[in-house]
Amino acid sequence: MLSQKTRYAIRAMQHLADRYGQGPIPLTDIAEKQNIPAKFLTVILSELSRYGIVASQRGKDGGYWLGVPPIDITYGDLIRIMRGSLALVPCASRFAHETCKNCLEEKDCRVRALMLQVRDATANLLDGVRLADRIDPVPAADGLEAADDLEVG
Amino acid sequence: MLSQKTRYAIRAMQHLADRYGQGPIPLTDIAEKQNIPAKFLTVILSELSRYGIVASQRGKDGGYWLGVPPIDITYGDLIRIMRGSLALVPCASRFAHETCKNCLEEKDCRVRALMLQVRDATANLLDGVRLADRIDPVPAADGLEAADDLEVG
DNA sequence: AGCATTGTCAACTTATCCGATTGAGAATAA
DNA sequence: TTATTCTCAATCGGATAAGTTGACAATGCT
């Protein structure tokens, strides 16, 4: 799962991308329209600005804006910044590889083999969509099917 | 990320799948060979047996075995059992849908639209691989590439 | 019967992380 | 000089995760 913080970060970036070129956007505007606790958002935006993908100005008429054109930021980038990796297990990360605790040796690990595939499929998708891209929301009721064989999840 | 518990569960199930039809496998055998704390493994196995996919017998020569043929259990099933969902956000789960806290309305949420795609790609993969399938581990040094544009993750 | 073996289960602990807030401060513009 | 707006470190409460303890129940062996 993505953390709440990561979800906030993505929505904040979408908000700024939608307003790219319109000058500084005040934090309270983002917080209100995106339903994000304002104080928490300061933590998130300052983290994002350390990566240069958000810029800011203080004082009257200050605010935040994208430090990079929205076509140059992929959703994969955002998730990697906020959570370190796209992978489902540490040993399946390509850019932030770590050995998993209490695992088998990597050369024997079948979980890893599978999770590398999942990571690649995820990356293919998320590195191909950019903040500048239009994304059509999916109606809420859709996306639900009958339960599967084991009746879980 | 998958929890440690989920990773243990998957490896324990692989262990049992590898020995399917060979009678009860004692917990200590699984724990030692799979490098899982024995007492914690009891918690995991008892959880799995509540779903019927693991069976057990007590006493001398007792142990655990798969309650279902390994060809009938997918990795997607296992992850759903252990963590509830394959999705990266609650609102993008197909079998365990929940609205995300502090989000926009689902009909307006672009994060959800994207994460539904990720969930589907993940499910396509993980529901297509079964415990009975042979998986070739990937050599440890492989899978690493140069850093990406933003030098993160 | 008696004992060793092996799984069952609830309760508990401990550590870590997450989400969020507090509060003092610094830049900017009017 | 005042209001506005971002900056940043420290902290807090609660949830979750990982793992342990300890009492108990079933099974098979002698």
Side-chain angles (χ1 to χ4, degrees):
Chain A
M1 286 275 172
L2 301 183
S3 65
Q4 182 77 306
K5 191 175 170 188
T6 300
R7 297 194 290 254
Y8 287 157
I10 295 173
R11 294 216 312 280
M13 290 298 280
Q14 287 178 331
H15 192 89
L16 294 180
D18 293 345
R19 290 156 184 78
Y20 186 62
Q22 300 180 17
I25 313 294
L27 184 136
T28 47
D29 181 70
I30 310 175
E32 280 169 20
K33 305 239 175 69
Q34 295 296 331
N35 194 20
I36 301 172
K39 275 296 194 175
F40 194 31
L41 185 53
T42 67
V43 177
I44 294 165
L45 288 170
S46 90
E47 193 169 335
L48 290 169
S49 61
R50 275 201 291 282
Y51 286 90
I53 59 176
V54 160
S56 60
Q57 182 162 26
R58 296 197 256 201
K60 188 90 201 299
D61 296 325
Y64 298 87
W65 61 94
L66 291 189
V68 167
I71 198 160
D72 290 334
I73 306 174
T74 72
Y75 282 87
D77 294 332
L78 291 181
I79 294 179
R80 284 194 200 91
I81 285 174
M82 296 307 293
R83 106 168 176 160
S85 162
L86 297 181
L88 288 178
V89 291
C91 68
S93 172
R94 297 218 185 259
F95 299 136
H97 178 277
E98 277 180 74
T99 63
C100 301
K101 275 179 60 176
N102 276 61
C103 199
L104 307 180
E105 290 188 58
E106 290 192 2
K107 67 177 173 50
D108 301 323
C109 184
R110 289 173 286 174
V111 176
R112 175 163 181 270
L114 199 53
M115 293 307 152
L116 278 169
Q117 291 182 47
V118 174
R119 194 228 77 111
D120 287 347
T122 304
N124 262 334
L125 237 160
L126 291 180
D127 287 338
V129 185
R130 293 157 191 284
L131 234 28
D133 294 335
R134 173 174 157 184
I135 297 176
D136 292 321
V138 177
D142 185 353
L144 294 167
E145 294 157 3
D148 61 356
D149 288 338
L150 284 166
E151 307 262 322
V152 275
Chain B
M1 285 275 171
L2 301 183
S3 66
Q4 183 77 305
K5 190 174 170 190
T6 300
R7 296 195 290 255
Y8 287 157
I10 294 173
R11 293 217 311 280
M13 291 297 280
Q14 287 178 331
H15 192 89
L16 295 180
D18 294 343
R19 291 156 184 77
Y20 186 63
Q22 299 180 17
I25 312 293
L27 183 136
T28 46
D29 182 69
I30 310 174
E32 280 168 21
K33 304 240 174 69
Q34 296 295 331
N35 193 20
I36 302 172
K39 274 298 195 176
F40 193 31
L41 185 53
T42 67
V43 177
I44 294 165
L45 288 170
S46 91
E47 192 168 335
L48 290 169
S49 62
R50 275 201 291 282
Y51 286 92
I53 60 175
V54 160
S56 61
Q57 183 161 25
R58 297 198 257 201
K60 189 90 201 301
D61 296 325
Y64 298 87
W65 63 93
L66 291 190
V68 168
I71 199 160
D72 289 335
I73 307 175
T74 73
Y75 283 87
D77 293 332
L78 290 181
I79 295 178
R80 284 196 201 90
I81 285 174
M82 296 307 293
R83 101 165 180 167
S85 162
L86 297 182
L88 288 178
V89 291
C91 68
S93 172
R94 298 222 184 256
F95 299 136
H97 178 276
E98 276 179 74
T99 63
C100 302
K101 276 179 59 176
N102 276 61
C103 199
L104 307 180
E105 290 189 58
E106 289 193 5
K107 67 176 174 49
D108 300 323
C109 185
R110 288 172 287 174
V111 176
R112 175 163 180 269
L114 199 53
M115 295 306 152
L116 278 168
Q117 290 182 47
V118 175
R119 194 228 77 110
D120 288 347
T122 304
N124 263 335
L125 234 160
L126 291 180
D127 287 337
V129 185
R130 292 156 191 285
L131 235 27
D133 294 335
R134 173 174 157 186
I135 297 176
D136 293 320
V138 176
D142 185 354
L144 295 167
E145 295 156 2
D148 61 354
D149 288 340
L150 284 166
E151 309 263 321
V152 274

mmCIF file with all atom_site columns, all heavy atoms in Angstrom, chain A residues 16-31:
data_model
loop_
_atom_site.group_PDB
_atom_site.id
_atom_site.type_symbol
_atom_site.label_atom_id
_atom_site.label_alt_id
_atom_site.label_comp_id
_atom_site.label_asym_id
_atom_site.label_entity_id
_atom_site.label_seq_id
_atom_site.pdbx_PDB_ins_code
_atom_site.Cartn_x
_atom_site.Cartn_y
_atom_site.Cartn_z
_atom_site.occupancy
_atom_site.B_iso_or_equiv
_atom_site.pdbx_formal_charge
_atom_site.auth_seq_id
_atom_site.auth_comp_id
_atom_site.auth_asym_id
_atom_site.auth_atom_id
_atom_site.pdbx_PDB_model_num
ATOM 1   N N   . LEU A 1 16 ? -0.566 21.101 -8.466  1.00 0.00 ? 16 LEU A N   1
ATOM 2   C CA  . LEU A 1 16 ? 0.394  22.069 -9.017  1.00 0.00 ? 16 LEU A CA  1
ATOM 3   C C   . LEU A 1 16 ? 0.550  21.898 -10.525 1.00 0.00 ? 16 LEU A C   1
ATOM 4   O O   . LEU A 1 16 ? 0.709  22.879 -11.254 1.00 0.00 ? 16 LEU A O   1
ATOM 5   C CB  . LEU A 1 16 ? 1.750  21.917 -8.325  1.00 0.00 ? 16 LEU A CB  1
ATOM 6   C CG  . LEU A 1 16 ? 1.781  22.279 -6.838  1.00 0.00 ? 16 LEU A CG  1
ATOM 7   C CD1 . LEU A 1 16 ? 3.180  22.093 -6.267  1.00 0.00 ? 16 LEU A CD1 1
ATOM 8   C CD2 . LEU A 1 16 ? 1.296  23.713 -6.615  1.00 0.00 ? 16 LEU A CD2 1
ATOM 9   N N   . ALA A 1 17 ? 0.500  20.672 -10.988 1.00 0.00 ? 17 ALA A N   1
ATOM 10  C CA  . ALA A 1 17 ? 0.631  20.430 -12.419 1.00 0.00 ? 17 ALA A CA  1
ATOM 11  C C   . ALA A 1 17 ? -0.547 21.061 -13.176 1.00 0.00 ? 17 ALA A C   1
ATOM 12  O O   . ALA A 1 17 ? -0.371 21.661 -14.237 1.00 0.00 ? 17 ALA A O   1
ATOM 13  C CB  . ALA A 1 17 ? 0.694  18.932 -12.704 1.00 0.00 ? 17 ALA A CB  1
ATOM 14  N N   . ASP A 1 18 ? -1.724 20.956 -12.595 1.00 0.00 ? 18 ASP A N   1
ATOM 15  C CA  . ASP A 1 18 ? -2.906 21.526 -13.228 1.00 0.00 ? 18 ASP A CA  1
ATOM 16  C C   . ASP A 1 18 ? -2.797 23.045 -13.342 1.00 0.00 ? 18 ASP A C   1
ATOM 17  O O   . ASP A 1 18 ? -3.470 23.663 -14.152 1.00 0.00 ? 18 ASP A O   1
ATOM 18  C CB  . ASP A 1 18 ? -4.165 21.199 -12.405 1.00 0.00 ? 18 ASP A CB  1
ATOM 19  C CG  . ASP A 1 18 ? -4.495 19.715 -12.420 1.00 0.00 ? 18 ASP A CG  1
ATOM 20  O OD1 . ASP A 1 18 ? -3.946 18.993 -13.270 1.00 0.00 ? 18 ASP A OD1 1
ATOM 21  O OD2 . ASP A 1 18 ? -5.286 19.274 -11.566 1.00 0.00 ? 18 ASP A OD2 1
ATOM 22  N N   . ARG A 1 19 ? -1.969 23.634 -12.491 1.00 0.00 ? 19 ARG A N   1
ATOM 23  C CA  . ARG A 1 19 ? -1.842 25.094 -12.447 1.00 0.00 ? 19 ARG A CA  1
ATOM 24  C C   . ARG A 1 19 ? -0.454 25.550 -12.865 1.00 0.00 ? 19 ARG A C   1
ATOM 25  O O   . ARG A 1 19 ? -0.026 26.647 -12.522 1.00 0.00 ? 19 ARG A O   1
ATOM 26  C CB  . ARG A 1 19 ? -2.161 25.578 -11.024 1.00 0.00 ? 19 ARG A CB  1
ATOM 27  C CG  . ARG A 1 19 ? -3.632 25.420 -10.672 1.00 0.00 ? 19 ARG A CG  1
ATOM 28  C CD  . ARG A 1 19 ? -3.881 25.324 -9.195  1.00 0.00 ? 19 ARG A CD  1
ATOM 29  N NE  . ARG A 1 19 ? -5.305 25.079 -8.922  1.00 0.00 ? 19 ARG A NE  1
ATOM 30  C CZ  . ARG A 1 19 ? -5.891 23.887 -9.059  1.00 0.00 ? 19 ARG A CZ  1
ATOM 31  N NH1 . ARG A 1 19 ? -5.190 22.836 -9.457  1.00 0.00 ? 19 ARG A NH1 1
ATOM 32  N NH2 . ARG A 1 19 ? -7.180 23.750 -8.818  1.00 0.00 ? 19 ARG A NH2 1
ATOM 33  N N   . TYR A 1 20 ? 0.218  24.702 -13.599 1.00 0.00 ? 20 TYR A N   1
ATOM 34  C CA  . TYR A 1 20 ? 1.591  25.019 -13.999 1.00 0.00 ? 20 TYR A CA  1
ATOM 35  C C   . TYR A 1 20 ? 1.609  26.282 -14.856 1.00 0.00 ? 20 TYR A C   1
ATOM 36  O O   . TYR A 1 20 ? 0.809  26.447 -15.771 1.00 0.00 ? 20 TYR A O   1
ATOM 37  C CB  . TYR A 1 20 ? 2.176  23.853 -14.804 1.00 0.00 ? 20 TYR A CB  1
ATOM 38  C CG  . TYR A 1 20 ? 3.640  24.033 -15.140 1.00 0.00 ? 20 TYR A CG  1
ATOM 39  C CD1 . TYR A 1 20 ? 4.604  24.117 -14.145 1.00 0.00 ? 20 TYR A CD1 1
ATOM 40  C CD2 . TYR A 1 20 ? 4.071  24.101 -16.479 1.00 0.00 ? 20 TYR A CD2 1
ATOM 41  C CE1 . TYR A 1 20 ? 5.946  24.261 -14.441 1.00 0.00 ? 20 TYR A CE1 1
ATOM 42  C CE2 . TYR A 1 20 ? 5.413  24.242 -16.789 1.00 0.00 ? 20 TYR A CE2 1
ATOM 43  C CZ  . TYR A 1 20 ? 6.347  24.326 -15.768 1.00 0.00 ? 20 TYR A CZ  1
ATOM 44  O OH  . TYR A 1 20 ? 7.678  24.473 -16.078 1.00 0.00 ? 20 TYR A OH  1
ATOM 45  N N   . GLY A 1 21 ? 2.519  27.212 -14.524 1.00 0.00 ? 21 GLY A N   1
ATOM 46  C CA  . GLY A 1 21 ? 2.626  28.452 -15.273 1.00 0.00 ? 21 GLY A CA  1
ATOM 47  C C   . GLY A 1 21 ? 1.719  29.548 -14.751 1.00 0.00 ? 21 GLY A C   1
ATOM 48  O O   . GLY A 1 21 ? 1.676  30.647 -15.294 1.00 0.00 ? 21 GLY A O   1
ATOM 49  N N   . GLN A 1 22 ? 0.994  29.270 -13.687 1.00 0.00 ? 22 GLN A N   1
ATOM 50  C CA  . GLN A 1 22 ? 0.065  30.269 -13.143 1.00 0.00 ? 22 GLN A CA  1
ATOM 51  C C   . GLN A 1 22 ? 0.605  30.958 -11.907 1.00 0.00 ? 22 GLN A C   1
ATOM 52  O O   . GLN A 1 22 ? -0.153 31.530 -11.123 1.00 0.00 ? 22 GLN A O   1
ATOM 53  C CB  . GLN A 1 22 ? -1.286 29.617 -12.836 1.00 0.00 ? 22 GLN A CB  1
ATOM 54  C CG  . GLN A 1 22 ? -1.943 29.006 -14.069 1.00 0.00 ? 22 GLN A CG  1
ATOM 55  C CD  . GLN A 1 22 ? -3.284 28.364 -13.758 1.00 0.00 ? 22 GLN A CD  1
ATOM 56  O OE1 . GLN A 1 22 ? -3.885 28.618 -12.724 1.00 0.00 ? 22 GLN A OE1 1
ATOM 57  N NE2 . GLN A 1 22 ? -3.752 27.534 -14.672 1.00 0.00 ? 22 GLN A NE2 1
ATOM 58  N N   . GLY A 1 23 ? 1.911  30.866 -11.689 1.00 0.00 ? 23 GLY A N   1
ATOM 59  C CA  . GLY A 1 23 ? 2.493  31.532 -10.520 1.00 0.00 ? 23 GLY A CA  1
ATOM 60  C C   . GLY A 1 23 ? 2.340  30.705 -9.260  1.00 0.00 ? 23 GLY A C   1
ATOM 61  O O   . GLY A 1 23 ? 1.810  29.596 -9.287  1.00 0.00 ? 23 GLY A O   1
ATOM 62  N N   . PRO A 1 24 ? 2.805  31.270 -8.139  1.00 0.00 ? 24 PRO A N   1
ATOM 63  C CA  . PRO A 1 24 ? 2.806  30.521 -6.876  1.00 0.00 ? 24 PRO A CA  1
ATOM 64  C C   . PRO A 1 24 ? 1.395  30.182 -6.401  1.00 0.00 ? 24 PRO A C   1
ATOM 65  O O   . PRO A 1 24 ? 0.506  31.033 -6.430  1.00 0.00 ? 24 PRO A O   1
ATOM 66  C CB  . PRO A 1 24 ? 3.472  31.488 -5.889  1.00 0.00 ? 24 PRO A CB  1
ATOM 67  C CG  . PRO A 1 24 ? 4.235  32.452 -6.736  1.00 0.00 ? 24 PRO A CG  1
ATOM 68  C CD  . PRO A 1 24 ? 3.456  32.590 -7.998  1.00 0.00 ? 24 PRO A CD  1
ATOM 69  N N   . ILE A 1 25 ? 1.231  28.945 -5.985  1.00 0.00 ? 25 ILE A N   1
ATOM 70  C CA  . ILE A 1 25 ? -0.045 28.486 -5.420  1.00 0.00 ? 25 ILE A CA  1
ATOM 71  C C   . ILE A 1 25 ? 0.133  28.361 -3.909  1.00 0.00 ? 25 ILE A C   1
ATOM 72  O O   . ILE A 1 25 ? 0.996  27.617 -3.457  1.00 0.00 ? 25 ILE A O   1
ATOM 73  C CB  . ILE A 1 25 ? -0.429 27.106 -5.986  1.00 0.00 ? 25 ILE A CB  1
ATOM 74  C CG1 . ILE A 1 25 ? -0.282 27.064 -7.506  1.00 0.00 ? 25 ILE A CG1 1
ATOM 75  C CG2 . ILE A 1 25 ? -1.813 26.698 -5.525  1.00 0.00 ? 25 ILE A CG2 1
ATOM 76  C CD1 . ILE A 1 25 ? -1.222 27.949 -8.248  1.00 0.00 ? 25 ILE A CD1 1
ATOM 77  N N   . PRO A 1 26 ? -0.669 29.079 -3.130  1.00 0.00 ? 26 PRO A N   1
ATOM 78  C CA  . PRO A 1 26 ? -0.478 29.001 -1.671  1.00 0.00 ? 26 PRO A CA  1
ATOM 79  C C   . PRO A 1 26 ? -0.826 27.617 -1.135  1.00 0.00 ? 26 PRO A C   1
ATOM 80  O O   . PRO A 1 26 ? -1.722 26.943 -1.650  1.00 0.00 ? 26 PRO A O   1
ATOM 81  C CB  . PRO A 1 26 ? -1.468 30.031 -1.114  1.00 0.00 ? 26 PRO A CB  1
ATOM 82  C CG  . PRO A 1 26 ? -2.088 30.706 -2.260  1.00 0.00 ? 26 PRO A CG  1
ATOM 83  C CD  . PRO A 1 26 ? -1.742 29.997 -3.510  1.00 0.00 ? 26 PRO A CD  1
ATOM 84  N N   . LEU A 1 27 ? -0.116 27.256 -0.094  1.00 0.00 ? 27 LEU A N   1
ATOM 85  C CA  . LEU A 1 27 ? -0.335 25.957 0.537   1.00 0.00 ? 27 LEU A CA  1
ATOM 86  C C   . LEU A 1 27 ? -1.792 25.737 0.930   1.00 0.00 ? 27 LEU A C   1
ATOM 87  O O   . LEU A 1 27 ? -2.339 24.643 0.729   1.00 0.00 ? 27 LEU A O   1
ATOM 88  C CB  . LEU A 1 27 ? 0.564  25.833 1.767   1.00 0.00 ? 27 LEU A CB  1
ATOM 89  C CG  . LEU A 1 27 ? 0.539  24.499 2.512   1.00 0.00 ? 27 LEU A CG  1
ATOM 90  C CD1 . LEU A 1 27 ? 1.940  24.069 2.864   1.00 0.00 ? 27 LEU A CD1 1
ATOM 91  C CD2 . LEU A 1 27 ? -0.318 24.587 3.754   1.00 0.00 ? 27 LEU A CD2 1
ATOM 92  N N   . THR A 1 28 ? -2.403 26.760 1.468   1.00 0.00 ? 28 THR A N   1
ATOM 93  C CA  . THR A 1 28 ? -3.783 26.578 1.921   1.00 0.00 ? 28 THR A CA  1
ATOM 94  C C   . THR A 1 28 ? -4.729 26.247 0.759   1.00 0.00 ? 28 THR A C   1
ATOM 95  O O   . THR A 1 28 ? -5.713 25.540 0.945   1.00 0.00 ? 28 THR A O   1
ATOM 96  C CB  . THR A 1 28 ? -4.298 27.835 2.641   1.00 0.00 ? 28 THR A CB  1
ATOM 97  O OG1 . THR A 1 28 ? -3.959 28.978 1.856   1.00 0.00 ? 28 THR A OG1 1
ATOM 98  C CG2 . THR A 1 28 ? -3.682 27.959 4.024   1.00 0.00 ? 28 THR A CG2 1
ATOM 99  N N   . ASP A 1 29 ? -4.387 26.754 -0.425  1.00 0.00 ? 29 ASP A N   1
ATOM 100 C CA  . ASP A 1 29 ? -5.210 26.418 -1.585  1.00 0.00 ? 29 ASP A CA  1
ATOM 101 C C   . ASP A 1 29 ? -5.118 24.926 -1.891  1.00 0.00 ? 29 ASP A C   1
ATOM 102 O O   . ASP A 1 29 ? -6.139 24.251 -2.094  1.00 0.00 ? 29 ASP A O   1
ATOM 103 C CB  . ASP A 1 29 ? -4.754 27.233 -2.795  1.00 0.00 ? 29 ASP A CB  1
ATOM 104 C CG  . ASP A 1 29 ? -5.594 26.940 -4.030  1.00 0.00 ? 29 ASP A CG  1
ATOM 105 O OD1 . ASP A 1 29 ? -6.770 27.337 -4.034  1.00 0.00 ? 29 ASP A OD1 1
ATOM 106 O OD2 . ASP A 1 29 ? -5.084 26.286 -4.963  1.00 0.00 ? 29 ASP A OD2 1
ATOM 107 N N   . ILE A 1 30 ? -3.901 24.419 -1.871  1.00 0.00 ? 30 ILE A N   1
ATOM 108 C CA  . ILE A 1 30 ? -3.718 22.986 -2.123  1.00 0.00 ? 30 ILE A CA  1
ATOM 109 C C   . ILE A 1 30 ? -4.416 22.173 -1.038  1.00 0.00 ? 30 ILE A C   1
ATOM 110 O O   . ILE A 1 30 ? -5.156 21.226 -1.316  1.00 0.00 ? 30 ILE A O   1
ATOM 111 C CB  . ILE A 1 30 ? -2.211 22.619 -2.134  1.00 0.00 ? 30 ILE A CB  1
ATOM 112 C CG1 . ILE A 1 30 ? -1.428 23.564 -3.054  1.00 0.00 ? 30 ILE A CG1 1
ATOM 113 C CG2 . ILE A 1 30 ? -2.008 21.171 -2.542  1.00 0.00 ? 30 ILE A CG2 1
ATOM 114 C CD1 . ILE A 1 30 ? 0.078  23.346 -3.013  1.00 0.00 ? 30 ILE A CD1 1
ATOM 115 N N   . ALA A 1 31 ? -4.162 22.576 0.201   1.00 0.00 ? 31 ALA A N   1
ATOM 116 C CA  . ALA A 1 31 ? -4.692 21.822 1.339   1.00 0.00 ? 31 ALA A CA  1
ATOM 117 C C   . ALA A 1 31 ? -6.218 21.743 1.287   1.00 0.00 ? 31 ALA A C   1
ATOM 118 O O   . ALA A 1 31 ? -6.803 20.671 1.455   1.00 0.00 ? 31 ALA A O   1
ATOM 119 C CB  . ALA A 1 31 ? -4.237 22.459 2.643   1.00 0.00 ? 31 ALA A CB  1
#
